[in-house]
């Protein structure tokens, strides 16, 4: 009977925890929002083209806008150059 009770408690504890979300930086967007989640976690979402757009979303939330360190923007002038000649 103790083994059954222990198994039920173990199953309840495992199912009560939420799955961890991977934090990824989307290299297509230059601005990310870093939002504080319940119980001290944080989530980073990179889906903004400007700081103004991100700040409008973050208004009133426990969040802050940051520059994407992995932004793969275009080179100066907006042109793509071929390499490897």
């Amino acid at each position: 009977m103790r083994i059954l009770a222990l198994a039920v408690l173990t199953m309840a504890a495992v199912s009560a925890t939420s799955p961890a979300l991977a934090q990824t930086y989307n290299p297509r967007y230059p601005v990310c929002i870093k939002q504080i989640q319940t119980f001290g976690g944080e989530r980073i979402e990179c889906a903004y083209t400007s700081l103004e757009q991100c700040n409008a979303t973050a208004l009133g939330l426990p969040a802050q806008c940051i520059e994407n360190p992995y932004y793969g923007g275009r080179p100066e002038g907006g042109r793509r150059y071929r390499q490897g000649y």
Side-chain angles (χ1 to χ4, degrees), residues 1 7 21 26 30 35-38 44 49 55 71-72 78:
M1 187 68 170
L21 299 173
N26 189 340
Q35 190 171 9
I36 305 299
Q37 300 288 313
T38 310
I44 297 174
T49 56
N55 284 330
Y71 175 58

Side-chain angles (χ1 to χ4, degrees), residues 11-75:
M11 294 291 280
V14 169
S15 65
T17 59
S18 62
L21 299 173
Q23 293 185 2
T24 58
Y25 291 90
N26 189 340
R28 288 185 249 162
Y29 294 97
V31 181
C32 303
I33 189 168
K34 184 178 186 181
Q35 190 171 9
I36 305 299
Q37 300 288 313
T38 310
F39 304 115
E42 59 184 41
R43 184 183 77 146
I44 297 174
E45 178 186 357
C46 299
Y48 302 96
T49 56
S50 68
L51 281 172
E52 292 81 17
Q53 182 186 26
C54 179
N55 284 330
T57 303
L59 189 65
L61 297 174
Q64 99 182 61
C65 297
I66 58 173
E67 291 183 10
N68 186 350
Y70 300 103
Y71 175 58
R74 291 186 157 199

